[in-house]
Amino acid sequence: VALWVLFVLNAGINYQRRTFSELAGYEIQESTVEELTALCEDLITEINGAAEELEKEPVLTERKMTETAVRAMQRAGESYPALAGYYPRAKRVRSWWYLSWQQLQGEYSPFTVEANYNGHMPEMDIPSTVCHELSHLKGFMREDEANFIAYLACRQSDSAAFRYSGALLAYIYSGNALYKADPEAYLSLRAGLCARAGTDLEEHNGYWRSFDG
């Protein structure tokens, strides 16, 4: 009973709250092929720009990365009051194999109120995943909302690694939607990705495919 109460108070009850889009003043509607195409074009521009900056930026240590994630979320809170406030540093899960076999990049613990991430997955996945998990600490439990919040936070970060990771996260979902609607448009746009992004996306897909089944 105690565990059930903790889950409801620290996670479950938030599925009934107002959505982030409502609080932020965004209207959700179906996208046209033209809108998806324009979105993917913008994301590719963001990805390529951040990838170029990455060449000059030192690799983030684990501590620096979690601290940068906190700053990114706090900066997002300046634009979106629902995200404002205190954030703890996310924790790297030691049993990474458990998360990987479950196809999980991270995990929010409602019993300890902690944001956890899979540190074994490809490097490009980590910054956006940490911001995703931190968004759960603000009560946004829906995965699509957490992904969108992660993109917003990464986009405003001073770190090129975070902007790169966030834009790739958004591109994966937007690109998949465009591919379903217009495969030719998707393939044409994908050719515009820089070599680094193409390699990182292949690594991303290969890593998660290795845990299928």
Side-chain angles (χ1 to χ4, degrees):
V1 174
L3 290 178
W4 179 81
V5 171
L6 280 175
F7 172 78
V8 171
L9 292 179
N10 294 335
I13 195 171
N14 288 311
Y15 285 99
Q16 306 303 317
R17 69 173 296 178
R18 292 178 64 194
T19 64
F20 177 76
S21 58
E22 291 174 330
L23 295 171
Y26 291 126
E27 181 181 352
I28 303 240
Q29 59 186 22
E30 290 293 324
S31 300
T32 65
V33 173
E34 291 74 20
E35 289 171 332
L36 282 172
T37 301
L39 173 58
C40 287
E41 287 177 341
D42 288 344
L43 290 171
I44 287 173
T45 299
E46 289 183 30
I47 290 167
N48 292 346
E52 187 174 342
E53 290 183 52
L54 265 177
E55 301 297 329
K56 309 168 188 176
E57 184 176 271
V59 176
L60 293 175
T61 63
E62 182 176 333
R63 182 178 184 83
K64 185 70 172 176
M65 186 275 300
T66 54
E67 290 175 346
T68 301
V70 168
R71 287 199 301 272
M73 293 298 294
Q74 290 174 335
R75 178 172 291 185
E78 296 173 5
S79 301
Y80 304 95
L83 300 177
Y86 169 78
Y87 288 91
R89 288 174 52 210
K91 295 183 178 180
R92 178 173 180 155
V93 176
R94 293 183 180 179
S95 302
W96 60 265
W97 50 268
Y98 171 76
L99 293 183
S100 294
W101 281 112
Q102 296 295 321
Q103 300 283 314
L104 294 175
Q105 296 183 337
E107 184 178 51
Y108 165 68
S109 171
F111 307 113
T112 57
V113 194
E114 291 177 331
N116 305 286
Y117 68 96
N118 182 345
H120 187 262
M121 62 186 173
E123 189 175 303
M124 60 157 279
D125 291 333
I126 295 177
S128 57
T129 294
V130 174
C131 290
H132 171 114
E133 299 304 328
L134 288 175
S135 74
H136 290 324
L137 294 175
K138 290 301 177 185
F140 297 105
M141 305 308 299
R142 296 177 177 85
E143 296 300 299
D144 55 349
E145 285 196 313
N147 280 334
F148 183 57
I149 292 170
Y151 167 67
L152 293 177
C154 287
R155 190 183 189 193
Q156 298 185 57
S157 175
D158 291 329
S159 167
F162 273 72
R163 295 196 302 277
Y164 181 71
S165 179
L168 278 173
L169 169 69
Y171 174 78
I172 288 171
Y173 285 96
S174 302
N176 287 344
L178 177 59
Y179 182 80
K180 290 180 181 178
D182 190 337
E184 291 185 5
Y186 167 79
L187 293 173
S188 176
L189 286 176
R190 196 183 192 286
L193 280 171
C194 65
R196 177 170 189 153
T199 299
D200 284 342
L201 285 173
E202 289 179 6
E203 181 184 0
H204 166 89
N205 293 331
Y207 180 85
W208 295 107
R209 274 199 302 266
S210 71
F211 293 97
D212 282 346

